[in-house]
Structures are given as C-alpha cells and as structure tokens.
Amino acid sequence: AQTVTQSQPEMSVQEAETVTLSCTYDTSESDYYLFWYKQPPSRQMILVIRQEAYKQQNATENRFSVNFQKAAKSFSLKISDSQLGDAAMYFCAYRSENTGTASKLTFGTGTRLQVTL
Amino acid sequence: GAVVSQHPSRVICKSGTSVKIECRSLDFQATTMFWYRQFPKQSLMLMATSNEGSKATYEQGVEKDKFLINHASLTLSTLTVTSAHPEDSSFYICSARGGYNSPLHFGNGTRLTVT
C-alpha cells in the first residue's frame, strides 16, 4: 500500500516571503499522480497543484510550484510571495494509475501553514 | 467549474438514530464518488468508493452495515450512518469525478455530532 508522509505538522511564513512544505511518499508503482490540496477553515478541499509522475518537468501554478524528485520519492510545495489567504491546512496526496484502485487518493497527515504580517 | 453539493453541512442527532448525508454533482455525471472521514486536526481517511449502479467498496476497518452507501444515480450518492454513536461524530467529506482521469471535486463536508 502507498503511504504519504508530511513531516511538518506546522509551518509559519511571513507575508510576501517564500515557504516550502515537504512531502515524501512510498510506492512500488511507476505511474501515478501527486497532488497538493489546501483546506482553509471552511473545510473545503481545494486543489492547488498536480504532478504526473511520468513528467520530469515540475508543475507550476502561479505562485505555487513543486519540486518533484521521483527517485527520492519527494514532492515538496513551494509557495512564493505568501499571502494571508494562503493560511490553511495543506495535504499532499497520491493517486495510483492502477485502474484496480479506482483512482482513490491517499492523503498525508497535513501541514498547517500560518501566514504572519 | 464543476460543483459538488453536500447536504447537510451540519447535523446533530441522538445516539441510536440514523443520519443520511447527500452528495450531489451539480453539473457533471459522477461515475465514481468517494466518502472520507476527517477527525479534528487529522487527515482525510477514505471510507468507501461508490460507483453508480453497483455496490460500494469499503476500506478495511469500515463497517459496511453501519455506513450504508447508495449511489443510485449519476448525480447522487448518499451515506447513511446507522445507529449512530458519539464515536461516529466526525467531519464527513464526499468527492466525485466523471471519467477515470477526470479531476476530483470535493463537497463542503458535513459535521456530524452524535449526542
């Protein structure tokens, strides 16, 4: 079974600064997807960014980018120019490409990000 | 964008009663829906996967007779917590997708409190 580990329960960043959230995962599969989701106090799950494992190029979405190291099974999220609205719980997630798993997501334990003035 | 509506957002029930939570895809046909449970300050734990017109697949450790899932149409899945107990109090979140490689869309969640 796949596991997703987020070793930072809490992180803090000053507004306008850059912060990196860590995520590692364990899998024996070669084809999969990785995601970062944001869960603000409203509890709504919001997709931040996704990465296909077969792509070497790191995904970017505006201020959000990832550092995907497939061999190291590492998938960190970098948030640049942090804003107060970025404060939330961030979950790293794994999705197998194995059709037998119905593409279900396995989530990490989450990192709570605080953004200070 | 695609919207998944989950209802109710909050529910309080007495121990021993049953509660039904609905998850609707408003502008797409959801062939697969997932039900998650989230305890305070913890991650989302998958409870079950439901495909339209077939029986749900439950994760290990989840009681299928306690958490009844029905996915009777391409836009609606329901989770019924039967004979609820205080330990069932939690935040329940559904998610839905269209085709296999379609994006996953989440509902806003339901906070269940069993007294």
Side-chain angles (χ1 to χ4, degrees):
Chain A
Q2 293 81 23
T3 58
V4 179
T5 302
Q6 293 178 249
S7 59
Q8 307 154 315
E10 291 190 9
M11 291 284 284
S12 182
V13 62
Q14 280 193 322
E15 199 177 18
E17 295 297 308
T18 296
V19 65
T20 298
L21 307 184
S22 302
C23 173
T24 58
Y25 57 95
D26 187 26
T27 184
S28 59
E29 300 176 332
S30 58
D31 294 325
Y32 49 87
Y33 289 88
L34 295 165
F35 305 84
W36 278 98
Y37 280 89
K38 169 184 177 181
Q39 188 180 41
S42 66
R43 307 294 290 271
Q44 172 72 51
M45 294 292 285
I46 302 167
L47 178 64
V48 175
I49 200 165
R50 73 178 241 170
Q51 173 82 42
E52 291 89 339
Y54 67 86
K55 289 187 177 178
Q56 292 187 336
Q57 187 173 7
N58 290 322
T60 62
E61 285 289 342
N62 300 316
R63 299 183 294 107
F64 299 87
S65 62
V66 298
N67 183 2
F68 174 47
Q69 301 290 329
K70 191 173 184 179
K73 297 179 182 174
S74 170
F75 183 60
S76 61
L77 173 69
K78 186 171 81 171
I79 306 174
S80 304
D81 186 25
S82 297
Q83 300 174 359
L84 293 178
D86 295 334
M89 196 75 170
Y90 286 81
F91 292 100
C92 179
Y94 173 102
R95 195 192 93 181
S96 171
E97 274 295 277
N98 183 342
T99 55
T101 64
S103 71
K104 60 187 180 184
L105 291 176
T106 300
F107 287 92
T109 50
T111 296
R112 182 168 301 282
L113 178 66
Q114 292 184 323
V115 181
T116 59
L117 293 171
Chain B
V3 176
V4 172
S5 173
Q6 191 172 338
H7 178 80
S9 57
R10 293 173 184 258
V11 59
I12 301 172
C13 71
K14 291 187 176 181
S15 188
T17 61
S18 295
V19 174
K20 181 184 285 188
I21 302 170
E22 293 187 348
C23 181
R24 293 180 184 274
S25 57
L26 298 184
D27 55 359
F28 68 101
Q29 293 186 325
T31 56
T32 304
M33 288 188 173
F34 303 90
W35 287 95
Y36 290 87
R37 183 173 181 175
Q38 186 179 28
F39 289 107
K41 299 185 180 180
Q42 293 190 24
S43 187
L44 282 73
M45 301 301 295
L46 180 66
M47 299 175 66
T49 303
S50 72
N51 292 297
E52 186 267 337
S54 62
K55 289 184 179 180
T57 301
Y58 290 82
E59 295 299 301
Q60 193 172 9
V62 178
E63 298 176 60
K64 61 181 180 182
D65 293 331
K66 180 168 187 62
F67 298 100
L68 301 179
I69 292 172
N70 185 297
H71 193 161
S73 77
L74 283 171
T75 58
L76 174 65
S77 176
T78 60
L79 167 67
T80 302
V81 183
T82 62
S83 186
H85 290 284
E87 57 265 32
D88 298 326
S89 298
S90 188
F91 192 70
Y92 294 85
I93 306 176
C94 73
S95 63
R97 63 171 174 82
Y100 179 74
N101 278 320
S102 299
L104 197 60
H105 303 282
F106 285 83
N108 285 341
T110 298
R111 178 172 300 284
L112 169 65
T113 303
V114 184
T115 60

